[in-house]
Amino acid sequence: MSSAPAFLNGEYLPLEECRVSVLDRGFIFGDGIYELITVYQNQPFYLAQHLDRLQRSLSEIKVVSPYSESEWKELITNLIQRSEDQDLAIYIQVTRGVAPRDHVYANNMTPTVFAMANKLPIVPKKFLEKGIELVTTTDTRWQRCDIKAISLLANILAKQEATEADAVETIMIRDDCALEGSASNLFLVRNGIVYTHPKDNLILPGITRDFTIELLEELGIECKQQHIPKDWLYSSDELWITSSTKEVLAATKIDQRLVADGKPGEVWRKTYNLYQQHKM
Ligand code: PDD
């Protein structure tokens, strides 16, 4: 299989030829941020929103963006052109750069920019037909989950709990509230109203979350952005997760209990169908 096209500090090269210093602060400290952008039929999906979030993450960690918006777009276009596939997941990572190990950083460092274009993983049919299974865990992440930071240790440990329970995603619980998944946002349907946690420092402001809210508006379905008590997870009519790669998936089991009748619900189906229409 041929290697994925990649980009490192101004150069386009095959993924396996990319090398960074062990003194890169991304490697030493997890000091960096990332973005993941899906591409359908060679067209980046919601690109402007992803680039805005990239810019915001950089500002929040006090790194000056090494590229302008048009340069980021050019980088993405070049990776798409170099790819064999037309449906892609473009991963972009910016770290603070390379320096002798010291918590203190200089303000004039040169950021390391890495990007790669991988084939977009297909959402398994059985996830759409039968729904997915979720588990819950205590959210042990820091208080700035709104930054798309590469330091994902708590997310990884949480995700592994799902995998070990033969589930797909783990929902993070903090102060008795259900916030989001380890790598996705959470939606819940109760008496015809859809709920999702508001944008604050405790969740990642998902691009797919925003898109799903727009779809619900288009469908004339009320969506409230408010805290979701943990026990609502066990008494909801529907539960969904959203992310760029998973799109919108219905969960039919949580912590080994059925969600409603254990089948993907009607509100999800309408939202999913409209999502597919907009993608094309
Ligand atoms: N994860 N919340 C968290 C913690 C996430 O890591 C993600 C995405 C989301 C959904 O964001 P979006 O809709 O913009 O993809 C929410 C990506 C896909 C990842 O880490 O690979």
Side-chain angles (χ1 to χ4, degrees):
M1 205 183 82
S2 65
S3 171
F7 171 94
L8 183 63
N9 296 329
E11 216 186 325
Y12 291 92
L13 66 183
L15 182 57
E16 64 258 28
E17 286 175 27
C18 294
R19 296 280 178 278
V20 289
S21 164
V22 291
L23 287 178
D24 192 283
R25 290 180 65 97
F27 182 70
I28 293 277
F29 290 121
D31 183 1
I33 57 92
Y34 74 106
E35 261 307 317
L36 193 132
I37 304 160
T38 48
V39 172
Y40 298 112
Q41 297 296 304
N42 292 327
Q43 297 300 320
F45 192 63
Y46 271 54
L47 179 59
Q49 288 81 349
H50 280 282
L51 292 180
D52 280 353
R53 187 172 65 184
L54 176 71
Q55 182 53 58
R56 180 179 180 276
S57 296
L58 286 170
S59 309
E60 293 298 321
I61 69 160
K62 299 176 174 59
V63 169
V64 176
S65 180
Y67 300 131
S68 65
E69 192 181 322
S70 60
E71 286 169 328
W72 284 117
K73 284 185 178 159
E74 191 186 321
L75 190 167
I76 291 161
T77 305
N78 285 336
L79 285 178
I80 294 171
Q81 281 169 358
R82 284 168 163 76
S83 298
E84 285 171 8
D85 296 294
Q86 298 187 326
D87 290 351
L88 302 164
I90 301 218
Y91 176 86
I92 298 176
Q93 169 169 323
V94 184
T95 74
R96 201 177 302 277
V98 180
R101 185 182 181 280
D102 187 343
H103 286 63
V104 177
Y105 59 85
N107 285 318
N108 61 353
M109 290 185 60
T110 305
T112 300
V113 181
F114 166 67
M116 60 182 165
N118 289 300
K119 188 177 164 57
L120 184 66
I122 292 169
V123 175
K125 248 204 176 102
K126 74 165 193 226
F127 288 0
L128 299 173
E129 286 166 3
K130 297 199 178 329
I132 59 164
E133 194 166 337
L134 304 175
V135 293
T136 57
T137 200
T138 303
D139 192 353
T140 58
R141 297 174 300 169
W142 67 333
Q143 305 265 344
R144 291 305 308 273
C145 301
D146 54 312
I147 302 173
K148 204 156 169 58
I150 57 169
S151 32
L152 287 172
L153 195 45
N155 303 62
I156 289 164
L157 293 173
K159 183 70 143 192
Q160 199 64 16
E161 288 184 35
T163 305
E164 281 165 19
D166 283 328
V168 171
E169 179 60 303
T170 302
I171 302 302
M172 304 295 219
I173 311 292
R174 197 191 291 247
D175 295 334
D176 222 39
C177 281
L179 302 176
E180 64 172 341
S182 71
S184 58
N185 290 111
L186 173 72
F187 286 77
L188 181 147
V189 186
R190 211 176 145 86
N191 303 324
I193 300 172
V194 183
Y195 297 86
T196 194
H197 188 83
K199 277 189 196 174
D200 61 15
N201 61 313
L202 298 181
I203 65 162
L204 184 83
I207 307 299
T208 320
R209 174 190 176 282
D210 283 348
F211 179 49
T212 301
I213 292 171
E214 284 175 30
L215 294 176
L216 289 167
E217 267 173 36
E218 198 177 325
L219 289 165
I221 298 168
E222 187 178 358
C223 179
K224 289 189 178 169
Q225 300 182 48
Q226 64 161 66
H227 289 88
I228 298 174
K230 183 188 176 189
D231 62 9
W232 282 22
L233 293 175
Y234 310 114
S235 59
S236 70
D237 300 320
E238 300 186 25
L239 279 180
W240 321 333
I241 60 159
T242 64
S243 83
S244 297
T245 51
K246 299 268 189 312
E247 302 182 342
V248 51
L249 282 180
T252 44
K253 247 184 178 182
I254 181 155
D255 289 336
Q256 301 191 325
R257 304 184 215 181
L258 288 184
V259 175
D261 63 357
K263 296 193 185 107
E266 274 316 303
V267 188
W268 168 78
R269 199 168 301 284
K270 282 185 200 160
T271 311
Y272 174 82
N273 288 341
L274 193 58
Y275 196 121
Q276 300 309 311
Q277 281 176 33
H278 278 271
K279 240 169 78 174
M280 299 312 158

